[in-house]
Amino acid sequence: MKNETTIFGLRAIIEAINSEEQIDKIFLQKGMRGELFQELEQVIRQARINASYVPAEKLNRLSKGNHQGAVAQISPVAFYDIEDLVIDTIESGKTPLFLLLDQLSDVRNFGAIVRTAECTGVSGIIIQKKGGAPINGDAIKTSAGAVFKIPICKVDHIKDAVFHMQASGIKVIAATEKAKDFIYEISLNEPCAIIMGSEGRGINPSVLKAADEKAKLPILGEIESLNVSVACGAFLYEAVRQRL
């Protein structure tokens, strides 16, 4: 079965995945068994869709109890292909400015970042298929609807996006407190992509290693780090400042 934001039922979700429905995340009931449930798990793995195993109580809240052990959340936005987006951006004549979010998981932080990205003229946002915040009602509300106004891509791994950017002549800058240089010392006038890490872990070490440059913000108080959405805003507005 299906309503405006969710699909529930094993067979219905399998059919939705096979029909390439824009599914953002799937919740599966812990301890479930059965041939059809195992078939759904296999289809989820093949499609590389983000899935979580949760108690039946959560599924009951999402579907009013009629779920058969599985509920899928439909994405309210259509995702762009990263290759097409990069080509279209370059051909538009505008200097590309992309934002790569490495498994940022907080929905409200994600929404706030999307809103700032839209306001600062970001060409597109790239997120990972697994481990990131879902694009749901909270994300839409926090972004003030910006999720509908800025291209969003999903990739298997953020490192794939880093390599694609670099192959396209786009410099990749990692936002990390481990950097030696402040963002104000980095040139953002050229085509570039900024990586922001997750709230707790920051940028994955393999992704950090692949970046062309690393940059940080000055911290003058006793707290060692900023909220990721605030830090992202500071980075993006430095790009705006340099480009004005």
Side-chain angles (χ1 to χ4, degrees), residues 111-147:
I113 284 173
V114 174
R115 182 174 184 174
T116 303
E118 201 280 331
C119 290
T120 52
V122 167
S123 309
I125 297 172
I126 292 83
I127 59 177
Q128 196 161 292
K129 288 181 180 178
K130 289 188 176 182
I135 301 177
N136 56 20
D138 283 339
I140 294 170
K141 182 178 179 181
T142 311
S143 77
V147 293

Side-chain angles (χ1 to χ4, degrees), residues 94-107:
K94 296 180 181 178
T95 305
L97 175 60
F98 290 99
L99 188 58
L100 280 55
L101 304 180
D102 187 14
Q103 294 188 302
L104 188 143
S105 59
D106 186 277
V107 173

Side-chain angles (χ1 to χ4, degrees), residues 24 52-53 57-58 60 121 129 147 159 202 210 215:
D24 197 46
S52 296
Y53 290 86
E57 290 76 14
K58 181 174 180 65
N60 292 338
K129 288 181 180 178
V147 293
K159 194 157 59 173

Side-chain angles (χ1 to χ4, degrees), residues 11 44 49 72 81 85 136 188 217 231 237 243:
R11 179 59 63 188
I44 290 170
I49 296 172
D81 178 84
L85 178 59
N136 56 20
L188 302 173
L217 291 167
Y237 268 101
R243 294 179 179 203

